[in-house]
Amino acid sequence: MSPQTAPDPEELRDACREGSARPLRIGIICHPTYGGSGVVASELALSLAARGHCVHLFSYSVPPRLARSPGPVQMHVAQGIPYPLFQSTPHDLAIVSSILNLHRSEGLDVLHAHYTLPHAVSAYLARAAAFFDHDRRAPRMVTTLHGTDITIVGNDPSYAPLTQFVLQQSDAVTAVSNDLARRTRDTFCVGFGGPCAIDVIPNFVDAELFHPRAAGGATHAVPSAVHVSNFRPVKRVPWLLRGFELATRGTNARLTLVGDGPDQAAARSVVRELGIGERVLFLGERDALPELLAPADVFVLASSEESFGLSALEAMACGTPVVATRVGGVSEVVDDGVSGLLAPPDDLEGFAARLKELLFDRKRAMAMGSAARAIAETRFARGAVVARYEALYRRLVDGVRET
Ligand code: GMT
């Protein structure tokens, strides 16, 4: 079954029936905002459901990638109630209650938290409460580290002890890149008081949806770059605009910016300052990413931190090569000189030079785009990566060793 297939109620009932031997009953918790961790969690949920498992997704609203799919994942929106005593509504506690309700009525084998805070805490609480339900086995708890949950948020002194605790308490921890696993070990495994195993399971891409022909094979008449992000400071969109201006001064090259977030106003002000308003288009948040990525000559990413760079992988699957800063796990996704070009994060001229190199050499960009597509289809193939999560769950639930 494809992840996009509409649910067959009978299949769904079979997968979720108590005691059904093969399918696993899996609860996934994620952020519903536009952002890589919610995308990966939603795509994983859909792929696992397509493989016959009974999959529930918990969040405080429906993640966009799930919302647009008819796939047989059961969505549980838990928002809690506002109350004058709360400065903000503790939806993470409502999520714990929602998980417990489901576990008590149907049972869950695995709880998979995407992005450590607050989801691993919610999973830990739900599992702890489930230990007291003697007629059911408590779910196994998996935590997937995505990036800033370790490098910016989780290691801040205000959260670090709790982050370390929930990592210790997880039955398995995975990271989306070797670099993130290494950084997690360096920060959190010192004085861990036990083994600090982190499985590296990279992100994956739906190479049927993200495809070079996603826009019907259309290309732009003028050299065109595209960027997709949540415009957080870590994405350095204003810096990216300066690099674009340097690379394309005096030309008609264009840049399309997709997404929205805190740095949108700063980015607009840099566009005004540089006088490139005619050549830069702010599109805001969009779901039609394949159609926007495929016709571009180059995808650009100028982050100061990036554990993986899912948007770069989605561009690669569309046959669009990447120019990016060499930070975190980006070099595990983009092969420098093969599927794109990388520059040091503090070298604006170097970044601009690489962008210029690729943006104005369509033949080279197309060759790198083909290589990028091939890498996306093999190293980051959905089926193979999802099978690794499945094997991990089986190991935890049945004690079956991964092969
Ligand atoms: O860390 C964030 O900014 C949020 C997070 C998300 O939810 O989008 O992004 C991280 O997870 C993605 C999916 O695994 C990765 O592709 C991103 O590289 C990573 N972001 C950073 O490390 C900055």
Side-chain angles (χ1 to χ4, degrees):
M1 199 200 312
S2 130
Q4 305 300 326
T5 308
D8 170 342
E10 245 170 60
E11 258 179 49
L12 200 57
R13 224 177 7 253
D14 278 355
C16 297
R17 205 181 43 225
E18 214 169 352
S20 60
R22 289 312 295 160
L24 292 165
R25 291 163 302 164
I26 302 158
I28 291 181
I29 321 168
C30 72
H31 290 292
T33 41
Y34 278 90
S37 62
V39 171
V40 170
S42 304
E43 295 285 356
L44 176 62
L46 288 162
S47 302
L48 289 163
R51 292 164 89 97
H53 297 294
C54 172
V55 186
H56 299 266
L57 202 138
F58 297 89
S59 196
Y60 61 85
S61 69
V62 186
R65 280 287 165 98
L66 186 71
R68 69 154 198 233
S69 166
V73 170
Q74 297 178 65
M75 180 72 216
H76 303 261
V77 172
Q79 294 182 326
I81 53 160
Y83 192 70
L85 273 179
F86 301 146
Q87 206 179 5
S88 63
T89 305
H91 57 80
D92 35 350
L93 299 183
I95 286 173
V96 177
S97 285
S98 174
I99 295 170
L100 272 176
N101 256 334
L102 183 85
H103 182 65
R104 285 174 183 158
S105 62
E106 296 185 23
L108 280 170
D109 300 307
V110 175
L111 260 181
H112 189 166
H114 284 263
Y115 203 91
T116 313
L117 296 181
H119 300 136
V121 180
S122 301
Y124 169 78
L125 276 178
R127 188 190 59 178
F131 278 132
F132 291 95
D133 293 337
H134 297 299
D135 50 341
R136 275 193 205 291
R137 189 183 184 203
R140 295 289 181 261
M141 171 185 168
V142 179
T143 301
T144 288
L145 316 175
H146 280 275
T148 53
D149 49 347
I150 292 300
T151 59
I152 295 181
V153 181
N155 65 357
D156 185 88
S158 56
Y159 294 125
L162 181 59
T163 305
Q164 188 183 45
F165 177 73
V166 287
L167 294 185
Q168 253 165 350
Q169 294 299 317
S170 300
D171 295 304
V173 175
T174 77
V176 297
S177 64
N178 288 301
D179 183 76
L180 183 59
R182 180 189 57 73
R183 291 184 68 171
T184 309
R185 279 187 211 103
D186 290 352
T187 314
F188 290 110
C189 291
V190 182
F192 206 65
C196 189
I198 302 173
D199 287 331
V200 175
I201 304 185
N203 291 330
F204 57 95
V205 63
D206 180 345
E208 283 164 38
L209 183 65
F210 288 86
H211 192 279
R213 298 200 61 79
T219 50
H220 293 291
V222 296
S224 301
V226 63
H227 168 80
V228 179
S229 79
N230 45 30
F231 282 58
R232 296 206 190 116
V234 77
K235 304 290 177 183
R236 298 200 307 177
V237 181
W239 193 92
L240 166 63
L241 283 160
R242 292 188 188 283
F244 173 76
E245 192 276 332
L246 214 52
T248 62
R249 196 172 291 169
T251 74
N252 59 358
R254 289 174 184 275
L255 172 63
T256 301
L257 297 166
V258 184
D260 204 349
D263 266 0
Q264 158 98 240
R268 283 188 187 274
S269 128
V270 170
V271 167
R272 275 193 302 275
E273 177 204 321
L274 299 174
I276 52 174
E278 299 268 285
R279 298 195 287 116
V280 177
L281 179 64
F282 286 84
L283 277 187
E285 286 173 352
R286 294 301 165 101
D287 287 332
L289 295 181
E291 293 83 350
L292 290 164
L293 291 168
D297 295 297
V298 180
F299 177 85
V300 274
L301 190 64
S303 308
S304 55
E305 291 268 352
E306 203 67 69
S307 69
F308 185 90
L310 184 67
S311 53
L313 174 59
E314 291 179 337
M316 286 166 57
C318 289
T320 303
V322 177
V323 171
T325 42
R326 188 184 293 105
V327 292
V330 169
S331 58
E332 295 173 43
V333 180
V334 181
D335 294 358
D336 194 10
V338 177
S339 52
L341 297 173
L342 302 180
D346 52 358
D347 181 5
L348 187 68
E349 281 79 16
F351 181 82
R354 285 160 180 85
L355 178 56
K356 191 172 181 175
E357 243 180 277
L358 220 50
L359 201 50
F360 298 103
D361 186 345
R362 198 158 257 176
K363 206 168 149 209
R364 185 154 179 233
M366 282 174 73
M368 282 196 173
S370 300
R373 166 76 188 170
I375 292 170
E377 281 180 301
T378 49
R379 198 187 301 164
F380 303 106
R382 183 178 61 196
V385 175
V386 172
R388 292 190 57 194
Y389 280 114
E390 205 175 19
L392 172 64
Y393 299 158
R394 286 269 177 229
R395 167 160 67 84
L396 297 177
V397 174
D398 305 335
V400 174
R401 298 286 327 152
E402 288 168 70
T403 49

